Amino acid sequence: MWYDFLRKYPVRFSRQKVLGKYIVDFYCARAKLVIELDGSQHFEPGNLEKDTQRTEYLKGYDLTVLRIPNNEVMHNFDGVCQYIDMAVKEAQNLQQSPPRAST
């Protein structure tokens, strides 16, 4: 994911970024986006709950967390790249939109 997509992506991503008490796989400050690639161990009993706690912790910093299974990266790389691209663009649009006036 890093060498074939995120490293050259037009919006800067960091890898293995420390955020609070966690190290995330990939982080984009401009889009307030975290990408976590989940191997099979993430789907074992107990680990799903740990991942949920981790995601909620990161959301507490107003970050969006994308959890992507490794097998999805392996079997649908282009689709995963499009998904990430869409998430970055959506986050940037939300940040640039002026607040709506109350009626």
Side-chain angles (χ1 to χ4, degrees), residues 43-101:
F43 302 100
E44 294 174 1
N47 290 341
L48 286 172
E49 178 60 31
K50 289 177 186 176
D51 285 345
T52 300
Q53 291 171 0
R54 178 183 178 108
T55 296
E56 290 306 311
Y57 177 87
L58 295 167
K59 284 182 177 180
Y61 286 96
D62 197 27
L63 299 171
T64 299
V65 180
L66 303 182
R67 300 200 77 87
I68 303 171
N70 280 345
N71 64 347
E72 192 68 22
V73 175
M74 298 300 293
H75 299 292
N76 186 19
F77 185 79
D78 290 340
V80 169
C81 293
Q82 290 172 5
Y83 174 57
I84 293 169
D85 183 54
M86 185 176 62
V88 170
K89 288 175 179 172
E90 182 178 312
Q92 289 181 311
N93 286 339
L94 288 175
Q95 292 171 13
Q96 294 172 2
S97 297
R100 293 183 184 179

Side-chain angles (χ1 to χ4, degrees), residues 35-47:
I35 299 171
E36 293 282 66
L37 301 181
D38 292 343
S40 60
Q41 74 276 11
H42 289 269
F43 302 100
E44 294 174 1
N47 290 341

Side-chain angles (χ1 to χ4, degrees), residues 3-15:
Y3 291 107
D4 293 330
F5 182 64
L6 294 176
R7 178 176 63 143
K8 298 174 188 172
Y9 192 76
V11 179
R12 185 176 185 271
F13 273 86
S14 300
R15 62 182 176 155

